[in-house]
């Protein structure tokens, strides 16, 4: 209770399985007494491109545009565009950020990648050497919840798509909902609800190459 959650959600259709998983998360976490914010990226028509428009006012180096440098400087000066500042506020408040999306080309949809590119600005989310274990968002939890087209065997060790762990780390996967039976899909949604009930007791994954590749 009292925890704050941000759900960054990328699906065009509220009736989709992704839409259901998002709704379940809002319901379940609200029931626990958490306050839940949702960034519904398609609904917001979120701009995914990293352009000069993200910097309000004068550029740091108008002669030669470097997005990373300009965004970093703009963050320091409070001159990032309003939509970015709004998203950063939500991230700053959140104890847990859930990313809910369908897998697109072994990754997240472009609109969500654009959210990461634009919102997680140097100085706000990370700095050098303040990154990884000592990153600026280190006390927050993150959870990737996504659906796939391929089934579980395709994403297993030796499967045609490769072990899913090689792609993404802290995750909750619903494999191939379009090809599952209605009962199997209901089970996926129920599993998600169950997972959310114990999410605060989970130990974060130790995201080191040793753990990952079992070196
Ligand atoms: P939906 O089609 O919305 O859902 C499946 C069914 O579940 C629907 O009939 C829906 O009505 C039903 N449903 C909704 N809510 C519930 C509920 N509460 N209980 C029971 N049933 C419910 N896949 C890969 O594996 N790898 C890739 O690299 C990849 N790249 C892609 C790239 C693009 C551009 C696109 C468009 C797709 C790609 N896919 C890929 C496939 C994609 O990941 C799947 O189509 C997607 O994950 C399916 O999720 P959905 O929410 O869209 O499913």
């Amino acid at each position: 209770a009292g925890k704050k959650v941000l759900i960054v959600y990328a699906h065009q259709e509220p009736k989709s399985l992704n839409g259901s998983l998002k709704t379940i998360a809002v319901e379940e976490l609200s029931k626990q007494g958490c306050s839940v914010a949702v960034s519904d990226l398609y609904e917001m028509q979120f701009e995914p491109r990293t352009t000069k428009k993200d910097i309000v006012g004068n550029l740091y180096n108008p002669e030669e545009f470097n997005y990373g440098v300009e965004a970093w400087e703009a963050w320091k000066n409070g001159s990032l565009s309003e939509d970015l500042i709004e998203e950063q506020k939500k991230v700053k408040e959140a104890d847990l950020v859930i990313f809910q999306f369908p897998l697109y080309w072994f990754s997240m949809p472009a609109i969500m990648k654009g959210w990461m590119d634009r919102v997680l600005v140097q100085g706000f989310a990370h700095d050098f050497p303040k990154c990884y274990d000592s990153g600026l968002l280190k006390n927050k939890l993150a959870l990737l919840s996504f659906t796939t087209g391929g089934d579980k065997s395709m994403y297993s060790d030796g499967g045609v798509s490769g072990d899913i762990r090689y792609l993404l780390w802290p995750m909750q996967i619903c494999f191939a909902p379009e090809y599952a039976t209605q009962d199997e899909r209901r089970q996926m949604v129920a599993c998600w609800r169950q997972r959310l009930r114990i999410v605060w007791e989970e130990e974060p994954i130790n995201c080191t190459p040793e753990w990952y590749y079992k070196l």
Side-chain angles (χ1 to χ4, degrees):
K3 298 273 193 194
K4 293 192 172 158
V5 181
L6 169 62
I7 303 176
V8 183
Y9 162 69
H11 202 290
Q12 309 85 346
E13 173 54 62
K15 292 184 195 137
S16 64
L17 197 78
N18 275 272
S20 287
L21 297 171
K22 184 261 293 170
T23 303
I24 292 286
V26 174
E27 272 174 28
E28 180 55 39
L29 293 163
S30 304
K31 212 158 65 186
Q32 291 174 19
C34 301
S35 67
V36 186
V38 178
S39 288
D40 182 341
L41 301 181
Y42 288 106
E43 188 63 25
M44 292 157 74
Q45 301 198 11
F46 188 79
E47 167 62 87
R49 293 169 296 184
T50 50
T51 69
K52 286 182 187 170
K53 287 188 194 155
D54 290 354
I55 291 95
V56 178
N58 294 336
L59 291 176
Y60 177 73
N61 180 2
E63 305 302 318
E64 191 175 329
F65 185 72
N66 176 320
Y67 185 84
V69 171
E70 292 294 344
W72 187 22
E73 291 297 325
W75 181 81
K76 285 189 263 183
N77 302 327
S79 55
L80 282 171
S81 69
E82 197 51 41
D83 64 332
L84 295 191
I85 292 174
E86 278 304 305
E87 292 306 296
Q88 288 180 342
K89 270 192 211 148
K90 294 183 203 169
V91 173
K92 206 169 165 193
E93 289 200 351
D95 299 296
L96 165 66
V97 183
I98 297 176
F99 294 92
Q100 181 67 58
F101 59 97
L103 196 69
Y104 276 10
W105 287 108
F106 300 96
S107 186
M108 63 200 75
I111 200 166
M112 184 176 277
K113 178 61 165 53
W115 185 95
M116 294 195 176
D117 293 347
R118 295 180 66 233
V119 176
L120 303 179
V121 166
Q122 182 168 358
F124 169 68
H126 65 95
D127 222 328
F128 297 105
K130 289 183 190 147
C131 49
Y132 297 107
D133 287 359
S134 50
L136 301 170
L137 304 177
K138 69 177 176 202
N139 294 325
K140 299 180 187 299
L141 298 170
L143 174 59
L144 304 181
S145 169
F146 61 97
T147 58
T148 68
D151 67 20
K152 195 170 180 179
S153 68
M154 291 164 75
Y155 283 106
S156 61
D157 190 13
V160 70
S161 302
D163 190 330
I164 192 78
R165 292 186 314 156
Y166 297 150
L167 294 178
L168 299 154
W169 295 7
M171 58 206 160
Q172 169 82 26
I173 315 173
C174 292
F175 287 107
E178 293 143 294
Y179 308 102
T181 64
Q182 189 65 358
D183 266 2
E184 286 167 337
R185 282 198 292 260
R186 289 210 184 97
Q187 191 57 34
M188 291 174 188
V189 175
C191 256
W192 176 229
R193 191 187 283 282
Q194 200 49 43
R195 168 98 187 253
L196 290 168
R197 285 188 179 140
I198 55 156
V199 71
W200 304 108
E201 279 103 67
E202 284 182 19
E203 279 293 312
I205 291 173
N206 176 14
C207 287
T208 58
E210 288 75 15
W211 173 84
Y212 199 57
Y213 294 105
K214 304 204 184 327
L215 296 176

